[in-house]
Amino acid sequence: MEFQHTACLGGGVIGASWAALFLASGRSVAMFDPDPAVETKVRSYIETAWPTMTQLGLTDHGSPDAISFHSSAVKAVEGAGFVQENVPERIQIKHETFAAIEPALMREAIVASSASGLTLSQMQPGWRDPSRFVLGHPFNPPHLIPLVEVVGNDQTAGGVVEAAQQFYESIGKTTIRLHKEVPGHVANRLQAAIWREAVHLVISGVASVEDVDKAVWSGPGLRWAAMGPTMLFNLGAGEGGLRAFCDHFSDTFNGWWDDLGQVYLTEDVTQRLASGVEAEARGMSPAELSQKRDALIVALQKSVADLR
């Protein structure tokens, strides 16, 4: 299932990023968003993203011009084999969108939602037949970060999750499959756990926002870009592997886990973090910081491409 014609519903940052990646892979894209300025915004996003994707070797077969814009979601999905839904994460909007597009979909089309805060089960009631609807949650920005979390359940038809994974992998993504629904899926929960302790370290006076961030990107974050934490700890004990690591460090980790902070994003905490980020940015604008982030991501991706 190559799905040569695709659709993106929602032209915000996530939808525009998905559209850029679909185009880069040689597919055509039909875009829907009610914003009158969506075409200008999305074309500008694609123009900015294209050189970056070219550096990663993703644009050899694609064209940034193979995109059309539509005034309704129904028109956008007509003839599309794969539909990536990115409308606002409010359940009523999701349900209304699904009910509207369902009669217009091709019989073999797959619809994947980018939702991060909603589960598949919460969204399925918007369908009469949810058998070809899956969750395909990316990590921002989708055209640069490979990860997609794919979720189906007992209402999903056989082979649909696998077909979605094959499609994503054909455009350069790395997929994981969740066997059980949980709020936030996998990566966001891991991210939330790390950030919770990062916030705790700041508000308890252990270190500044900048130094906590620095501790991540120059320390464990660099290793995590190579392998996940469990495999890295498996390697950390040499020939004894993970069992030896746990035998040696179980008391240490149990003590650390007992001491981890429980924090909430109150107004005071938010203000302290915002001040710390402002100091860390050293006058750079969000656009300049985003360019720096993307350049670093591209450099990392290129450096490990052959090793992967």
Side-chain angles (χ1 to χ4, degrees):
M1 294 186 178
E2 295 183 353
F3 303 120
Q4 286 301 313
H5 181 55
T6 65
C8 286
L9 307 182
V13 172
I14 299 297
S17 184
W18 272 124
L21 184 62
F22 292 173
L23 292 168
S25 72
R27 291 163 173 83
S28 55
V29 177
M31 168 69 71
F32 160 74
D33 192 291
D35 181 0
V38 65
E39 181 169 356
T40 299
K41 293 177 181 178
V42 170
R43 288 192 185 278
S44 176
Y45 188 100
I46 293 168
E47 182 181 359
T48 300
W50 204 262
T52 304
M53 293 189 297
T54 299
Q55 291 182 58
L56 293 174
L58 297 175
T59 63
D60 293 347
H61 306 292
S63 167
D65 300 320
I67 185 169
S68 58
F69 294 85
H70 302 267
S71 58
S72 76
V74 173
K75 287 294 184 183
V77 303
E78 290 178 354
F82 196 93
V83 178
Q84 190 74 38
E85 174 272 305
N86 319 279
V87 303
E89 203 146 321
R90 295 196 288 275
I91 196 65
Q92 182 177 350
I93 295 177
K94 299 282 192 189
H95 287 176
E96 290 173 351
T97 301
F98 301 147
I101 67 172
E102 187 168 7
L105 290 167
M106 296 197 305
R107 183 178 59 85
E108 67 273 22
I110 292 176
V111 178
S113 178
S114 296
S116 59
L118 296 171
T119 66
L120 188 67
S121 295
Q122 289 174 309
M123 294 185 286
Q124 283 172 324
W127 298 88
R128 291 194 304 273
D129 176 11
S131 62
R132 300 190 68 78
F133 173 60
V134 299
L135 191 142
H137 175 248
F139 231 51
N140 189 36
H143 70 279
L144 291 184
I145 303 294
L147 179 66
V148 184
E149 301 170 311
V150 185
V151 186
N153 60 20
D154 57 2
Q155 296 189 63
T156 309
V160 171
V161 169
E162 291 79 6
Q165 287 183 280
Q166 289 172 13
F167 168 72
Y168 285 133
E169 289 167 4
S170 76
I171 62 173
K173 306 301 282 181
T174 298
T175 66
I176 66 168
R177 181 172 181 174
L178 276 66
H179 302 296
K180 177 182 177 181
E181 292 183 351
V182 290
H185 323 314
V186 171
N188 273 338
R189 292 176 72 94
L190 293 170
Q191 186 172 245
I194 294 167
W195 196 41
R196 183 175 73 178
E197 184 56 24
V199 172
H200 169 68
L201 290 169
V202 171
I203 65 173
S204 60
V206 174
S208 68
V209 169
E210 180 174 5
D211 279 351
V212 172
D213 278 353
K214 194 183 297 184
V216 174
W217 65 255
S218 65
L222 194 59
R223 294 199 306 182
W224 294 333
M227 295 180 181
T230 308
M231 180 58 76
L232 288 167
F233 286 147
N234 177 63
L235 297 177
E239 293 299 323
L242 187 65
R243 191 172 299 279
F245 183 90
C246 291
D247 287 344
H248 187 73
F249 290 109
S250 60
D251 289 343
T252 300
F253 272 86
N254 288 338
W256 288 344
W257 286 333
D258 288 341
D259 194 52
L260 292 178
Q262 182 73 29
V263 298
Y264 294 93
L265 293 177
T266 63
E267 180 59 35
D268 288 344
V269 169
T270 300
Q271 180 57 46
R272 187 162 177 178
L273 295 174
S275 297
V277 165
E278 184 177 355
E280 184 178 355
R282 290 183 173 80
M284 293 180 68
S285 69
E288 290 170 329
L289 288 167
S290 294
Q291 290 176 353
K292 181 178 181 179
R293 176 202 64 190
D294 291 353
L296 287 164
I297 291 172
V298 169
L300 289 168
Q301 295 272 49
K302 289 174 66 176
S303 68
V304 303
D306 291 341
L307 296 173
R308 291 292 185 199

